[in-house]
Amino acid sequence: MKHYLELVPISARVHRKQNRMSIFCIILAVFLVTTIFGMADMFIRSQILQAQIDGGNFHIGIKDITDEEATLISRRPDIQAAARYGVLNFRGDEGYTFEGKNAVIVGCDEEYMTKLMVDIIEEGNFPQNNQQVMITLNAKEYLGLQIGDTVAINTPDGTELHYEISGFCNDASKTMSEDSYGFFMTTSAFREIYPTEMSDELADYNSILCVQFSDLKNIQNTINNLKEKCHLSDEQVSENTKLLGLLGQSSNSFMVQIYMSAIILFLLVMFAGIIMIASSLNSNVMQRTEFFGLIRCIGATPKQVMKLVNKEALSWCRFAIPVGVAMGIVVVWVLCAVLRVLSPEYFGAIPTFSFSLPSIVAGIVIGLLTVLLAAHSPAKKAAKVSPLMAVSGNAFNLRPVRKAVNTKIFKVETSLGIYHAISSKKNFILMVLSFSISIVLFLSFVVAIAFTNHTLTPLRPWTADISIISPQNTCSIDNSILEKLEKNPIVNAAS
């Protein structure tokens, strides 16, 4: 042995059983932090992807500008993509219909469908001329339409607009809920049929410019810079609040409150882990006071003793941290897979076998930080006492024994354990705090789940999507309607 730090692996082998509890505490803390951060990261990823699918992958919308201003804005180096977007008959009150149902007509640039929307094109391509349209997928399923077919949109004045189908896109929640059809055409074709005089103002066509930024690190500064350089008012610029909020870039106060709540919860969990590890390490180091005293007797300085304790604590981390992180990753994978299977509608976008870098880093940092903080105080205390006191076993001021152990209630081992547990006030306080915070967190989670069940009532598997009720509950619905519904291929069950 050439260096005193080589005693660390020897001591670890000799005190393997004594170190089990400390290693278990480290594994548990790292596992919990890795799992919590991992599930939070996976949930945020899935929500970001779902927000991009539902509301578009753009960050802001700009209104009340001209086509020339829109072109200048789209050419800025800090903008990844920009496209014009307008809608006609959005509320279904303007008289545009197709096959007896409302037709929602959208005019946009090709970049809107290919870059600002996620996986919206199901089949075919975006229209390449003013005689083509894309139509929502429900028209293909219900009407049997195919690419290349000609469709006719009925206008309020009784005329028909004929277009060739260039492709199909996924259904939107609006078209599905209202049983309507959506049509997507080029901006120039949209302006030809829009009931207004020709103009270069986007507002005259109920249109906005959707913008996606290239740098996602500080979007708020980018938005303010864009307003200043392009002379835009706050009323002209609207944020995609849901997407920016999930990216942590929203100025919406509600999103800020959600982030603050999450941070407070993580801090409570990490604080409980720190106290738990500190309590275990305190007991472990205090039991080996004689060993540190012998090291002092052969010439070790207080700094060397502290370094020896820190080195030994870090040697526990070498095994405990990888195990805790690996367990956390596996549990995150299992939970994500279970969520996707049990509720694909809400968690269909959650990654299954994906690594979460924030959770891995958080687990490693918490493991190292808590162990070093927990080992610092006992090592410093052992380094301050004289070698003779350390060797005698009286390095720490334990509570003096004034009477014999009462073995009528507890066995000798139990009584000695209780005595050593409460002999050090600091260690006893850490242990009590550890259990107290764990109990408080457990009770808080239980109450939160019960409160959530009251505020968000989940739908049961047998809940009907729609209900047909007779006027004034007279039970006058014809039985033939039930027979027709049962024969309909899109109806799963009817009763």
Side-chain angles (χ1 to χ4, degrees):
M1 186 172 63
K2 298 181 179 179
H3 200 274
Y4 74 97
L5 291 178
E6 295 180 10
L7 288 170
V8 172
I10 299 174
S11 176
R13 287 195 299 268
V14 173
H15 301 92
R16 184 173 58 237
K17 293 183 178 180
Q18 297 178 7
N19 297 338
R20 285 178 181 175
M21 182 54 66
S22 299
I23 294 175
F24 174 75
C25 291
I26 300 171
I27 292 175
L28 183 61
V30 173
F31 163 72
L32 289 175
V33 172
T34 302
T35 303
I36 291 173
F37 274 88
M39 288 303 299
D41 185 38
M42 295 301 175
F43 178 73
I44 290 176
R45 287 192 199 179
S46 67
Q47 291 302 301
I48 289 174
L49 181 57
Q50 194 63 46
Q52 292 172 344
I53 294 174
D54 295 339
N57 190 19
F58 60 90
H59 302 130
I60 62 171
I62 306 175
K63 64 180 181 179
D64 297 333
I65 59 175
T66 63
D67 289 330
E68 183 179 358
E69 291 172 334
T71 303
L72 294 175
I73 292 174
S74 62
R75 292 176 180 176
R76 287 174 58 89
D78 55 355
I79 291 179
Q80 181 72 22
R84 294 168 295 181
Y85 168 85
V87 62
L88 179 62
N89 197 38
F90 181 78
R91 294 180 176 84
D93 55 357
E94 299 181 47
Y96 292 88
T97 60
F98 175 67
E99 296 294 332
K101 298 181 180 180
N102 284 327
V104 180
I105 304 174
V106 175
C108 59
D109 298 328
E110 185 173 1
E111 279 192 337
Y112 180 82
M113 300 291 288
T114 57
K115 295 183 179 180
L116 301 185
M117 298 299 291
V118 177
D119 298 331
I120 190 173
I121 299 178
E122 183 70 21
E123 183 181 352
N125 301 296
F126 185 78
Q128 301 300 311
N129 54 60
N130 293 354
Q131 285 72 46
Q132 292 182 334
V133 293
M134 289 190 72
I135 191 170
T136 48
L137 201 59
N138 58 347
K140 177 182 179 181
E141 296 174 352
Y142 299 155
L143 304 176
L145 299 176
Q146 299 295 329
I147 295 178
D149 291 349
T150 301
V151 293
I153 302 175
N154 299 312
T155 64
D157 58 6
T159 60
E160 293 184 347
L161 303 173
H162 295 273
Y163 296 97
E164 178 187 353
I165 299 177
S166 65
F168 295 95
C169 57
N170 291 324
D171 297 312
S173 58
K174 178 177 179 60
T175 57
M176 294 299 294
S177 62
E178 298 179 354
D179 193 20
S180 58
Y181 300 112
F183 294 84
F184 293 82
M185 58 183 63
T186 62
T187 300
S188 57
F190 177 76
R191 292 184 174 183
E192 287 179 358
I193 65 173
Y194 200 90
T196 186
E197 296 181 1
M198 295 300 295
S199 171
D200 63 347
E201 294 283 345
L202 269 64
D204 292 339
Y205 300 98
N206 193 27
S207 300
I208 62 172
L209 179 69
C210 300
V211 176
Q212 179 190 99
F213 296 111
S214 55
D215 187 7
L216 305 181
K217 295 180 180 179
N218 200 333
I219 293 180
Q220 289 300 319
N221 285 347
T222 307
I223 294 175
N224 293 332
N225 183 51
L226 178 64
K227 291 179 182 178
E228 181 181 354
K229 298 296 183 181
C230 299
H231 306 289
L232 300 173
S233 64
D234 294 339
E235 290 74 19
Q236 289 181 271
V237 179
S238 59
E239 297 181 0
N240 189 348
T241 307
K242 185 176 181 181
L243 179 59
L244 292 185
L246 293 169
L247 292 173
Q249 299 289 333
S250 176
S251 59
N252 187 283
S253 59
F254 179 72
M255 292 295 180
V256 173
Q257 293 175 5
I258 293 178
Y259 288 130
M260 290 301 297
S261 302
I263 292 174
I264 292 173
L265 179 61
F266 289 148
L267 288 177
L268 286 174
V269 174
M270 288 188 288
F271 184 60
I274 290 174
I275 294 177
M276 180 175 59
I277 296 175
S279 176
S280 176
L281 288 178
N282 239 347
S283 300
N284 187 285
V285 174
M286 286 178 63
Q287 291 173 8
R288 301 174 56 210
T289 306
E290 293 82 358
F291 170 75
F292 299 124
L294 290 174
I295 296 296
R296 291 292 311 279
C297 289
I298 61 176
T301 64
K303 288 185 178 181
Q304 289 176 327
V305 173
M306 294 181 63
K307 191 173 182 180
L308 181 66
V309 175
N310 291 331
K311 178 73 173 179
E312 187 167 352
L314 289 176
S315 69
W316 300 337
C317 296
R318 188 172 55 187
F319 170 78
I321 290 179
V323 173
V325 170
M327 290 173 58
I329 292 174
V330 172
V331 169
V332 169
W333 287 352
V334 172
L335 292 176
C336 291
V338 170
L339 289 174
R340 290 193 63 166
V341 172
L342 294 180
S343 184
E345 294 182 359
Y346 295 101
F347 300 102
I350 194 169
T352 305
F353 299 103
S354 180
F355 292 95
S356 172
L357 184 60
S359 67
I360 296 175
V361 172
I364 295 174
V365 171
I366 291 303
L368 293 173
L369 186 61
T370 52
V371 168
L372 290 176
L373 290 176
H376 179 74
S377 179
K380 189 176 180 180
K381 191 179 296 184
K384 283 183 178 180
V385 299
S386 64
L388 291 177
M389 290 181 63
V391 173
S392 66
N394 297 320
F396 300 100
N397 296 322
L398 300 178
R399 189 179 61 180
V401 180
R402 301 185 184 279
K403 59 180 180 179
V405 175
N406 186 0
T407 59
K408 293 181 180 180
I409 302 176
F410 302 107
K411 293 182 179 180
V412 176
E413 296 84 356
T414 305
S415 299
L416 288 175
I418 296 174
Y419 168 74
H420 285 291
I422 64 177
S423 58
S424 174
K425 291 184 179 180
K426 182 177 180 181
N427 197 35
F428 180 69
I429 291 173
L430 288 174
M431 183 172 57
V432 171
L433 284 176
S434 175
F435 282 104
S436 301
I437 294 178
S438 300
I439 293 172
V440 170
L441 287 175
F442 175 76
L443 294 177
S444 299
F445 279 117
V446 172
V447 174
I449 293 173
F451 177 75
T452 303
N453 286 333
H454 285 290
T455 55
L456 299 174
T457 305
L459 294 177
R460 303 301 180 184
W462 56 84
T463 302
D465 294 324
I466 61 172
S467 299
I468 301 176
I469 304 174
S470 58
Q472 300 179 353
N473 295 322
T474 57
C475 300
S476 58
I477 299 177
D478 192 353
N479 290 332
S480 61
I481 297 178
L482 177 61
E483 297 176 359
K484 293 180 180 179
L485 290 174
E486 291 176 341
K487 295 179 181 180
N488 196 316
I490 66 174
V491 176
N492 184 34
S495 60

